[in-house]
Amino acid sequence: MLTDEHKKCYADNGYAVVRGLFSPDEVEFYREHYMQLRKHGKHPGDYPELDLANNDPLKRYPRMIQMHHWDETSMRWMLHDRINACLTGLVGREPYAVQTMLYFKPPASRGQALHQDNFYLKVEGGTCMAAWMALDVCDEASGCLQIVPGSHKWPLLCTTQADTKVSFTDITVPLPPGQVVQPVLMDPGDVMFFHGSLIHGSFPNTTTDRFRRALIGHYVEGTAEKLGQWYRPLYRMDGTVVDIEENPGGGPCGVWVEADGTPVIEMVGQETVRRKHE
Ligand SMILES: O=C(O)CCC(=O)C(=O)O
């Protein structure tokens, strides 16, 4: 399942894609399950708020969050043995589980501006990690994930205003001129695992007929000492609850400056505190 190549890619680049971790039948089950949940109406934390009469496709198919608080299928997926084996194999220690999300990303919907997840989760003594499972074909037309390989070695950058015509969230991080942003092409059942400082996001779904659904889990490295205030309960991978000190945030963040003609990050800013993707 997890190879030395995955481990090397995670260490060097901040991500690893495990192909076919879930079977076509399993993926079909999850797709159907979440489409049914979406049809049942509003759920706590939907973003943006559900509005079936709205022209914005994201308002007709809002992202769901923290489904494991009320949906047993989501809890089982978040704590799944295969996900745990990959996360544990990548960093050498079992993580804690903290968040689930389902992106429907219907045709013609906006993406999500580039960001670092640990800006939100505020893990100290380690970082957060994501498991991002494709439920549909994810290509550039449907708005696949976009990443900056190696950016997991950067500190948290100070955020700036995002273009909300192409992103459903309103903050982003600046990149130095010429920085490569790489699409990650994925098939249903592939899972990408990534580090909490990896810069990632997605562009709009420009297709007229394809959803780009993704089931996502967020985790906290087992070494963690602190976690942002909105992320409770925190679970061990056996489903028992664990407590951890609260991180109020507001610490230093990095801005790009030029040193001898080369862009470098200086920690001269101060973080704002935001709940994930609000
Ligand atoms: O699925 C996407 O388009 C973006 C997901 C993302 O950025 C995240 O889960 O933090």
PDB file of all heavy atoms in Angstrom, residues 87-109:
ATOM      1  N   LEU A  87      -1.077   7.281   6.973  1.00  0.00           N
ATOM      2  CA  LEU A  87      -0.622   8.447   7.760  1.00  0.00           C
ATOM      3  C   LEU A  87       0.494   8.036   8.720  1.00  0.00           C
ATOM      4  O   LEU A  87       1.518   8.722   8.843  1.00  0.00           O
ATOM      5  CB  LEU A  87      -1.794   9.037   8.551  1.00  0.00           C
ATOM      6  CG  LEU A  87      -2.877   9.748   7.732  1.00  0.00           C
ATOM      7  CD1 LEU A  87      -4.142   9.939   8.555  1.00  0.00           C
ATOM      8  CD2 LEU A  87      -2.374  11.104   7.238  1.00  0.00           C
ATOM      9  N   THR A  88       0.299   6.905   9.387  1.00  0.00           N
ATOM     10  CA  THR A  88       1.289   6.433  10.355  1.00  0.00           C
ATOM     11  C   THR A  88       2.594   6.075   9.638  1.00  0.00           C
ATOM     12  O   THR A  88       3.687   6.410  10.113  1.00  0.00           O
ATOM     13  CB  THR A  88       0.737   5.211  11.129  1.00  0.00           C
ATOM     14  OG1 THR A  88      -0.485   5.615  11.760  1.00  0.00           O
ATOM     15  CG2 THR A  88       1.707   4.707  12.181  1.00  0.00           C
ATOM     16  N   GLY A  89       2.460   5.436   8.478  1.00  0.00           N
ATOM     17  CA  GLY A  89       3.648   5.055   7.708  1.00  0.00           C
ATOM     18  C   GLY A  89       4.428   6.269   7.213  1.00  0.00           C
ATOM     19  O   GLY A  89       5.653   6.237   7.133  1.00  0.00           O
ATOM     20  N   LEU A  90       3.720   7.349   6.895  1.00  0.00           N
ATOM     21  CA  LEU A  90       4.402   8.531   6.346  1.00  0.00           C
ATOM     22  C   LEU A  90       5.197   9.290   7.400  1.00  0.00           C
ATOM     23  O   LEU A  90       6.254   9.836   7.105  1.00  0.00           O
ATOM     24  CB  LEU A  90       3.389   9.486   5.691  1.00  0.00           C
ATOM     25  CG  LEU A  90       2.780   8.995   4.380  1.00  0.00           C
ATOM     26  CD1 LEU A  90       1.631   9.894   3.948  1.00  0.00           C
ATOM     27  CD2 LEU A  90       3.841   8.928   3.277  1.00  0.00           C
ATOM     28  N   VAL A  91       4.665   9.332   8.630  1.00  0.00           N
ATOM     29  CA  VAL A  91       5.373  10.137   9.647  1.00  0.00           C
ATOM     30  C   VAL A  91       5.910   9.305  10.812  1.00  0.00           C
ATOM     31  O   VAL A  91       6.578   9.854  11.699  1.00  0.00           O
ATOM     32  CB  VAL A  91       4.502  11.309  10.170  1.00  0.00           C
ATOM     33  CG1 VAL A  91       4.227  12.309   9.062  1.00  0.00           C
ATOM     34  CG2 VAL A  91       3.214  10.823  10.790  1.00  0.00           C
ATOM     35  N   GLY A  92       5.597   7.997  10.822  1.00  0.00           N
ATOM     36  CA  GLY A  92       6.208   7.122  11.829  1.00  0.00           C
ATOM     37  C   GLY A  92       5.498   7.096  13.164  1.00  0.00           C
ATOM     38  O   GLY A  92       5.995   6.495  14.128  1.00  0.00           O
ATOM     39  N   ARG A  93       4.340   7.732  13.253  1.00  0.00           N
ATOM     40  CA  ARG A  93       3.599   7.693  14.510  1.00  0.00           C
ATOM     41  C   ARG A  93       2.114   7.911  14.222  1.00  0.00           C
ATOM     42  O   ARG A  93       1.760   8.719  13.358  1.00  0.00           O
ATOM     43  CB  ARG A  93       4.125   8.801  15.429  1.00  0.00           C
ATOM     44  CG  ARG A  93       3.413   8.863  16.742  1.00  0.00           C
ATOM     45  CD  ARG A  93       4.149   9.717  17.741  1.00  0.00           C
ATOM     46  NE  ARG A  93       3.266   9.995  18.860  1.00  0.00           N
ATOM     47  CZ  ARG A  93       3.635  10.589  19.963  1.00  0.00           C
ATOM     48  NH1 ARG A  93       4.881  10.991  20.125  1.00  0.00           N
ATOM     49  NH2 ARG A  93       2.774  10.799  20.944  1.00  0.00           N
ATOM     50  N   GLU A  94       1.266   7.176  14.964  1.00  0.00           N
ATOM     51  CA  GLU A  94      -0.178   7.281  14.707  1.00  0.00           C
ATOM     52  C   GLU A  94      -0.664   8.713  14.993  1.00  0.00           C
ATOM     53  O   GLU A  94      -0.292   9.308  16.002  1.00  0.00           O
ATOM     54  CB  GLU A  94      -0.911   6.266  15.593  1.00  0.00           C
ATOM     55  CG  GLU A  94      -2.354   6.108  15.227  1.00  0.00           C
ATOM     56  CD  GLU A  94      -2.936   4.806  15.789  1.00  0.00           C
ATOM     57  OE1 GLU A  94      -2.615   3.720  15.261  1.00  0.00           O
ATOM     58  OE2 GLU A  94      -3.720   4.908  16.740  1.00  0.00           O
ATOM     59  N   PRO A  95      -1.510   9.258  14.086  1.00  0.00           N
ATOM     60  CA  PRO A  95      -2.006  10.630  14.305  1.00  0.00           C
ATOM     61  C   PRO A  95      -3.282  10.635  15.151  1.00  0.00           C
ATOM     62  O   PRO A  95      -3.779   9.578  15.546  1.00  0.00           O
ATOM     63  CB  PRO A  95      -2.329  11.073  12.881  1.00  0.00           C
ATOM     64  CG  PRO A  95      -2.817   9.811  12.233  1.00  0.00           C
ATOM     65  CD  PRO A  95      -2.036   8.676  12.853  1.00  0.00           C
ATOM     66  N   TYR A  96      -3.812  11.826  15.383  1.00  0.00           N
ATOM     67  CA  TYR A  96      -5.160  12.000  15.930  1.00  0.00           C
ATOM     68  C   TYR A  96      -6.038  12.508  14.785  1.00  0.00           C
ATOM     69  O   TYR A  96      -5.542  13.158  13.867  1.00  0.00           O
ATOM     70  CB  TYR A  96      -5.176  13.036  17.053  1.00  0.00           C
ATOM     71  CG  TYR A  96      -4.249  12.715  18.191  1.00  0.00           C
ATOM     72  CD1 TYR A  96      -3.231  13.606  18.552  1.00  0.00           C
ATOM     73  CD2 TYR A  96      -4.390  11.536  18.919  1.00  0.00           C
ATOM     74  CE1 TYR A  96      -2.368  13.323  19.607  1.00  0.00           C
ATOM     75  CE2 TYR A  96      -3.528  11.246  19.977  1.00  0.00           C
ATOM     76  CZ  TYR A  96      -2.520  12.140  20.308  1.00  0.00           C
ATOM     77  OH  TYR A  96      -1.674  11.865  21.347  1.00  0.00           O
ATOM     78  N   ALA A  97      -7.334  12.237  14.879  1.00  0.00           N
ATOM     79  CA  ALA A  97      -8.263  12.657  13.822  1.00  0.00           C
ATOM     80  C   ALA A  97      -9.134  13.791  14.342  1.00  0.00           C
ATOM     81  O   ALA A  97      -9.560  13.763  15.502  1.00  0.00           O
ATOM     82  CB  ALA A  97      -9.133  11.476  13.420  1.00  0.00           C
ATOM     83  N   VAL A  98      -9.411  14.769  13.470  1.00  0.00           N
ATOM     84  CA  VAL A  98     -10.109  15.948  13.988  1.00  0.00           C
ATOM     85  C   VAL A  98     -11.203  16.507  13.078  1.00  0.00           C
ATOM     86  O   VAL A  98     -12.114  17.175  13.546  1.00  0.00           O
ATOM     87  CB  VAL A  98      -9.069  17.042  14.341  1.00  0.00           C
ATOM     88  CG1 VAL A  98      -8.444  17.643  13.087  1.00  0.00           C
ATOM     89  CG2 VAL A  98      -9.652  18.115  15.206  1.00  0.00           C
ATOM     90  N   GLN A  99     -11.148  16.232  11.777  1.00  0.00           N
ATOM     91  CA  GLN A  99     -12.092  16.933  10.889  1.00  0.00           C
ATOM     92  C   GLN A  99     -12.426  16.104   9.652  1.00  0.00           C
ATOM     93  O   GLN A  99     -11.557  15.421   9.111  1.00  0.00           O
ATOM     94  CB  GLN A  99     -11.467  18.256  10.462  1.00  0.00           C
ATOM     95  CG  GLN A  99     -12.322  19.113   9.545  1.00  0.00           C
ATOM     96  CD  GLN A  99     -11.925  20.574   9.573  1.00  0.00           C
ATOM     97  OE1 GLN A  99     -12.515  21.368  10.305  1.00  0.00           O
ATOM     98  NE2 GLN A  99     -10.939  20.941   8.804  1.00  0.00           N
ATOM     99  N   THR A 100     -13.684  16.214   9.217  1.00  0.00           N
ATOM    100  CA  THR A 100     -14.079  15.651   7.920  1.00  0.00           C
ATOM    101  C   THR A 100     -14.730  16.758   7.088  1.00  0.00           C
ATOM    102  O   THR A 100     -15.341  17.677   7.637  1.00  0.00           O
ATOM    103  CB  THR A 100     -15.093  14.499   8.070  1.00  0.00           C
ATOM    104  OG1 THR A 100     -16.113  14.887   8.999  1.00  0.00           O
ATOM    105  CG2 THR A 100     -14.419  13.219   8.531  1.00  0.00           C
ATOM    106  N   MET A 101     -14.606  16.630   5.761  1.00  0.00           N
ATOM    107  CA  MET A 101     -15.242  17.593   4.853  1.00  0.00           C
ATOM    108  C   MET A 101     -15.607  16.868   3.554  1.00  0.00           C
ATOM    109  O   MET A 101     -14.926  15.924   3.162  1.00  0.00           O
ATOM    110  CB  MET A 101     -14.286  18.741   4.504  1.00  0.00           C
ATOM    111  CG  MET A 101     -13.827  19.538   5.698  1.00  0.00           C
ATOM    112  SD  MET A 101     -13.151  21.155   5.282  1.00  0.00           S
ATOM    113  CE  MET A 101     -11.783  20.713   4.299  1.00  0.00           C
ATOM    114  N   LEU A 102     -16.678  17.322   2.924  1.00  0.00           N
ATOM    115  CA  LEU A 102     -17.054  16.778   1.617  1.00  0.00           C
ATOM    116  C   LEU A 102     -17.254  17.951   0.661  1.00  0.00           C
ATOM    117  O   LEU A 102     -18.129  18.801   0.885  1.00  0.00           O
ATOM    118  CB  LEU A 102     -18.339  15.951   1.754  1.00  0.00           C
ATOM    119  CG  LEU A 102     -18.716  14.984   0.631  1.00  0.00           C
ATOM    120  CD1 LEU A 102     -19.164  15.661  -0.635  1.00  0.00           C
ATOM    121  CD2 LEU A 102     -17.623  13.969   0.325  1.00  0.00           C
ATOM    122  N   TYR A 103     -16.424  18.013  -0.363  1.00  0.00           N
ATOM    123  CA  TYR A 103     -16.571  19.027  -1.414  1.00  0.00           C
ATOM    124  C   TYR A 103     -17.326  18.397  -2.574  1.00  0.00           C
ATOM    125  O   TYR A 103     -16.904  17.356  -3.080  1.00  0.00           O
ATOM    126  CB  TYR A 103     -15.197  19.462  -1.923  1.00  0.00           C
ATOM    127  CG  TYR A 103     -14.427  20.391  -1.010  1.00  0.00           C
ATOM    128  CD1 TYR A 103     -14.005  19.980   0.238  1.00  0.00           C
ATOM    129  CD2 TYR A 103     -14.104  21.681  -1.424  1.00  0.00           C
ATOM    130  CE1 TYR A 103     -13.288  20.832   1.073  1.00  0.00           C
ATOM    131  CE2 TYR A 103     -13.386  22.531  -0.597  1.00  0.00           C
ATOM    132  CZ  TYR A 103     -12.982  22.106   0.655  1.00  0.00           C
ATOM    133  OH  TYR A 103     -12.265  22.953   1.470  1.00  0.00           O
ATOM    134  N   PHE A 104     -18.421  19.042  -3.005  1.00  0.00           N
ATOM    135  CA  PHE A 104     -19.170  18.524  -4.150  1.00  0.00           C
ATOM    136  C   PHE A 104     -18.617  19.099  -5.458  1.00  0.00           C
ATOM    137  O   PHE A 104     -18.584  18.436  -6.465  1.00  0.00           O
ATOM    138  CB  PHE A 104     -20.662  18.860  -4.011  1.00  0.00           C
ATOM    139  CG  PHE A 104     -21.308  18.110  -2.883  1.00  0.00           C
ATOM    140  CD1 PHE A 104     -21.332  18.617  -1.595  1.00  0.00           C
ATOM    141  CD2 PHE A 104     -21.848  16.860  -3.104  1.00  0.00           C
ATOM    142  CE1 PHE A 104     -21.900  17.906  -0.552  1.00  0.00           C
ATOM    143  CE2 PHE A 104     -22.424  16.132  -2.074  1.00  0.00           C
ATOM    144  CZ  PHE A 104     -22.444  16.666  -0.788  1.00  0.00           C
ATOM    145  N   LYS A 105     -18.205  20.339  -5.417  1.00  0.00           N
ATOM    146  CA  LYS A 105     -17.650  21.068  -6.567  1.00  0.00           C
ATOM    147  C   LYS A 105     -18.371  20.730  -7.881  1.00  0.00           C
ATOM    148  O   LYS A 105     -17.797  20.109  -8.802  1.00  0.00           O
ATOM    149  CB  LYS A 105     -16.145  20.799  -6.685  1.00  0.00           C
ATOM    150  CG  LYS A 105     -15.448  21.880  -7.507  1.00  0.00           C
ATOM    151  CD  LYS A 105     -13.958  21.929  -7.281  1.00  0.00           C
ATOM    152  CE  LYS A 105     -13.374  23.095  -8.026  1.00  0.00           C
ATOM    153  NZ  LYS A 105     -11.924  23.204  -7.877  1.00  0.00           N
ATOM    154  N   PRO A 106     -19.621  21.140  -7.972  1.00  0.00           N
ATOM    155  CA  PRO A 106     -20.392  20.846  -9.196  1.00  0.00           C
ATOM    156  C   PRO A 106     -19.862  21.606 -10.408  1.00  0.00           C
ATOM    157  O   PRO A 106     -19.041  22.513 -10.257  1.00  0.00           O
ATOM    158  CB  PRO A 106     -21.811  21.316  -8.840  1.00  0.00           C
ATOM    159  CG  PRO A 106     -21.663  22.218  -7.691  1.00  0.00           C
ATOM    160  CD  PRO A 106     -20.386  21.894  -6.974  1.00  0.00           C
ATOM    161  N   PRO A 107     -20.335  21.262 -11.630  1.00  0.00           N
ATOM    162  CA  PRO A 107     -19.921  21.985 -12.830  1.00  0.00           C
ATOM    163  C   PRO A 107     -20.075  23.489 -12.631  1.00  0.00           C
ATOM    164  O   PRO A 107     -21.041  23.945 -12.028  1.00  0.00           O
ATOM    165  CB  PRO A 107     -20.911  21.493 -13.896  1.00  0.00           C
ATOM    166  CG  PRO A 107     -21.366  20.155 -13.401  1.00  0.00           C
ATOM    167  CD  PRO A 107     -21.317  20.191 -11.913  1.00  0.00           C
ATOM    168  N   ALA A 108     -19.109  24.246 -13.157  1.00  0.00           N
ATOM    169  CA  ALA A 108     -19.133  25.723 -13.146  1.00  0.00           C
ATOM    170  C   ALA A 108     -18.962  26.345 -11.762  1.00  0.00           C
ATOM    171  O   ALA A 108     -19.257  27.521 -11.577  1.00  0.00           O
ATOM    172  CB  ALA A 108     -20.405  26.255 -13.797  1.00  0.00           C
ATOM    173  N   SER A 109     -18.486  25.574 -10.800  1.00  0.00           N
ATOM    174  CA  SER A 109     -18.324  26.181  -9.466  1.00  0.00           C
ATOM    175  C   SER A 109     -16.904  26.673  -9.237  1.00  0.00           C
ATOM    176  O   SER A 109     -15.961  26.243  -9.904  1.00  0.00           O
ATOM    177  CB  SER A 109     -18.747  25.197  -8.371  1.00  0.00           C
ATOM    178  OG  SER A 109     -17.970  24.041  -8.427  1.00  0.00           O
TER     179      SER A 109
END
